[in-house]
Amino acid sequence: MSYCHSTKAAIFDLDGTLLDSMGVWNQIDIDFLGKRGLAVPDDYMATVASMQFRQIAEYTIDRFGLKDTPEALMAEWNEMAREAYATTVKAKPGAIEYLYELKTAGVRLGVATTLLLELREAALGHLGMRDLFDAIVSVDDAHGVGKDRPDVYLLAASRLGAAPADCTVFEDLLAGIRSAKSAGMRVWAMYDDSSAADWPEITAIADGTLHDFRDAPRL
């Protein structure tokens, strides 16, 4: 599969796309709820996947009738996650090599993520990826607008100096794929277990699909 010659910028999601990190969050959920004598319901991960961090905290408190404040939950999760992102999280197969390949070919590289600053810094530092990117933006930089709207992708494109039509987005979340497509960008979908239930719909709307970056579009 060849890259369209008009691609000037590639914009990557982190969790579930560049980072094989969903296992980290599964373990955090298991450990966090386990400490409270609770099991993780089957639908929990899929339900919270597209939420922002505070929304997840509020939803978790409501769903399980917890006495904690959202701030306390977020702090506890952050501490558990920071350790994992700084030491154990892995890149998706072929991801680092693919980034170097695009960089060498002159494609500008960006990140559009919901991941908090300290977690993305920990992961990108641990994996040696940080210096590969020309722009790193989060939903917090886009006025807190989640990936169900295209703001974070448009902000990344703007900071990369590329028009939306000249960008290719790599994303695993259905809501994000829909949003980036609505902004006129090409989108390649990365398979991740966390969005397996949405995979048929993702396949129908994405411009291409991947299970690892060795299958990614080449220049």
Side-chain angles (χ1 to χ4, degrees):
M1 183 64 70
S2 65
Y3 233 33
C4 179
H5 289 303
S6 67
T7 292
K8 294 175 183 165
I11 298 168
F12 295 85
D13 169 58
L14 290 180
D15 269 341
T17 300
L18 278 182
L19 305 180
D20 194 1
S21 50
M22 290 309 177
V24 166
W25 288 104
N26 283 332
Q27 195 57 50
I28 287 171
D29 290 339
I30 291 165
D31 294 345
F32 171 82
L33 290 173
K35 275 196 284 188
R36 290 155 175 82
L38 299 164
V40 182
D42 290 342
D43 66 330
Y44 179 77
M45 274 296 282
T47 304
V48 302
S50 62
M51 291 182 188
Q52 289 172 258
F53 208 47
R54 187 183 182 85
Q55 284 179 300
I56 298 173
E58 291 167 350
Y59 172 78
T60 302
I61 288 165
D62 286 345
R63 176 152 186 184
F64 299 104
L66 304 180
K67 304 263 192 286
D68 311 73
T69 63
E71 290 73 20
L73 253 65
M74 288 156 66
E76 186 174 342
W77 287 338
N78 259 339
E79 199 41 56
M80 296 168 81
R82 188 167 25 242
E83 174 72 17
Y85 275 83
T87 58
T88 62
V89 78
K90 293 182 170 63
K92 285 279 178 108
I96 294 171
E97 296 82 354
Y98 187 57
L99 291 173
Y100 273 106
E101 191 178 315
L102 293 181
K103 189 105 182 143
T104 302
V107 176
R108 292 179 65 73
L109 302 181
V111 164
T113 183
T114 57
L115 203 54
L116 296 173
L117 175 63
E118 57 265 38
L119 300 185
R120 66 179 185 262
E121 285 294 304
L124 293 174
H126 159 58
L127 293 167
M129 285 184 183
R130 189 188 292 114
D131 294 342
L132 291 171
F133 294 103
D134 301 292
I136 297 174
V137 300
S138 80
V139 291
D140 295 326
D141 301 314
H143 308 295
V145 175
K147 283 191 167 181
D148 53 334
R149 282 165 48 197
D151 301 44
V152 71
Y153 305 105
L154 291 169
L155 179 59
S158 168
R159 292 198 182 168
L160 292 170
D166 294 330
C167 296
T168 299
V169 171
F170 294 85
E171 176 65 79
D172 69 303
L173 259 190
L174 175 58
I177 292 164
R178 272 204 200 107
S179 294
K181 289 284 288 180
S182 77
M185 300 175 177
R186 276 181 303 283
V187 185
W188 279 70
M190 170 59 74
Y191 179 82
D192 192 71
D193 287 343
S194 65
S195 50
D198 293 328
W199 191 244
E201 194 172 348
I202 287 170
T203 303
I205 64 173
D207 294 290
T209 60
L210 309 168
H211 279 70
D212 74 50
F213 281 98
R214 289 167 294 204
D215 303 325
R218 284 346 223 226
L219 281 166

